[in-house]
């Protein structure tokens, strides 16, 4: 046995895994996927290495290569997304209950794909309620505006979305449900987390307006919680 031989690095496998995860994140966070050249540049690796990582992720059904040569997320990500949503829901529920009870209105956590959690106040004479898992067009309502504002800035963003980023919330009336006021706060949950928002819905305009600071505080607490 050669005593002078350099022992294998215990972190070599970890470095490979970290690089693969970084590429996976880069591709899935790109609105229209990435080409191998773009992956190589963004990950600061040789194009051959980029191809190797992309092919491995495709074999695992985490990514797929489109007819245009660009790589995008694939069906293998769905179980991971479900697990991530469950983690987010678990962390959010106590904070949503706090906000709903404090405001006296229904508060929900939404991601671009669906509602993750909906919590109604435990006190009060009446409140608006809706079911978890409901879907609405992202082009409508305060939540739709907030979800778009939570995403990276684009040159094509409307002035309304830019205003939501400046204000820190969106407020609308009657866009999703007739005679209902909505206020939503875009969330900054960190890299690898879904684009999300907190949404409040009520029949009273002032209730919606007054919920902004509470939802922003709850959103900041949620962001800190899931990063621990």
């Amino acid at each position: 046995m050669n005593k002078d031989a350099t022992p294998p690095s215990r972190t070599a496998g970890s470095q490979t895994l970290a690089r693969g995860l970084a590429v996976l994140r880069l591709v899935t966070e790109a609105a229209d996927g990435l080409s191998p050249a773009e992956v190589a540049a963004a990950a600061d690796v040789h194009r051959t290495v980029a191809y190797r990582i992309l092919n491995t992720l495709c074999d695992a059904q985490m990514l797929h290569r489109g007819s245009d040569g660009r790589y995008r997320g694939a069906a293998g990500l769905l179980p991971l997304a479900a697990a991530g949503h469950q983690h987010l829901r678990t962390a959010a529920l106590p904070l949503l209950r706090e906000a709903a009870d404090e405001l006296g209105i229904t508060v929900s956590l939404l991601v671009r794909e669906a509602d993750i959690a909906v919590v109604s106040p435990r006190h009060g004479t009446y409140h608006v309620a809706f079911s978890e898992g409901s879907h609405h067009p992202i082009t409508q309502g305060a939540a739709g505006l907030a979800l778009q504002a939570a995403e990276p800035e684009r040159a094509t963003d409307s002035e309304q979305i830019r205003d939501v980023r400046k204000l820190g919330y969106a407020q609308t009336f009657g866009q999703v449900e007739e005679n209902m006021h909505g206020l939503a706060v875009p969330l900054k949950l960190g890299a690898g987390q879904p684009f999300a928002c907190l949404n409040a819905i009520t029949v009273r305009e002032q209730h919606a307006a007054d919920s902004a600071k509470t939802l922003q505080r709850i959103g900041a607490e949620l962001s800190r919680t899931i990063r621990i």
Side-chain angles (χ1 to χ4, degrees):
M1 180 176 179
N2 184 359
K3 295 182 180 180
D4 296 327
T6 302
S9 171
R10 292 188 301 171
T11 61
S14 298
Q15 290 172 349
T16 301
L17 176 60
R19 186 174 286 172
L21 291 173
V23 168
L24 181 62
R25 179 171 293 173
L26 286 168
V27 173
T28 55
E29 290 182 351
D32 194 31
L34 294 174
S35 69
E38 289 170 335
V39 169
D44 192 24
V45 297
H46 192 276
R47 190 176 299 192
T48 301
V49 175
Y51 269 115
R52 187 182 306 128
I53 294 172
L54 289 167
N55 288 336
T56 299
L57 291 170
C58 286
D59 289 343
Q61 298 184 340
M62 298 295 177
L63 298 180
H64 79 279
R65 184 177 184 273
S67 58
D68 57 358
R70 301 179 72 80
Y71 289 80
R72 300 175 178 85
L77 292 172
L78 295 177
L80 299 180
H85 287 173
Q86 183 57 45
H87 169 60
L88 184 56
R89 172 187 167 84
T90 300
L93 277 174
L95 296 171
L96 294 180
R97 291 192 186 99
E98 177 185 335
D101 288 344
E102 178 180 329
L103 297 170
I105 57 180
T106 297
V107 178
S108 58
L109 169 66
L110 296 88
V111 297
R112 193 175 179 100
E113 294 84 6
D115 303 326
I116 286 183
V118 180
V119 177
S120 297
R122 289 173 286 192
H123 310 290
T125 54
Y126 66 89
H127 59 267
V128 179
F130 59 98
S131 301
E132 291 182 11
S134 57
H135 290 72
H136 303 288
I138 199 170
T139 55
Q140 296 179 10
L145 290 171
L147 286 171
Q148 293 179 78
E151 297 179 348
E153 294 184 20
R154 299 185 180 91
T156 56
D157 286 339
S158 67
E159 192 64 34
Q160 193 174 23
I161 294 173
R162 294 191 180 97
D163 287 342
V164 172
R165 290 196 183 104
K166 292 176 184 177
L167 290 172
Y169 66 87
Q171 186 170 0
T172 60
F173 173 70
Q175 291 191 7
V176 175
E177 295 292 342
E178 188 177 357
N179 298 322
M180 296 295 173
H181 295 272
L183 187 140
V185 171
L187 299 182
K188 297 179 179 180
L189 299 179
Q193 297 294 334
F195 300 119
C197 74
L198 293 176
N199 182 60
I201 185 169
T202 175
V203 295
R204 298 182 181 180
E205 182 178 6
Q206 193 59 47
H207 275 185
D210 291 344
S211 69
K213 289 185 178 179
T214 296
L215 294 188
Q216 288 171 335
R217 172 176 57 81
I218 293 296
E221 290 182 30
L222 177 59
S223 181
R224 287 193 295 270
T225 299
I226 64 173
R227 294 185 194 195
I228 294 175

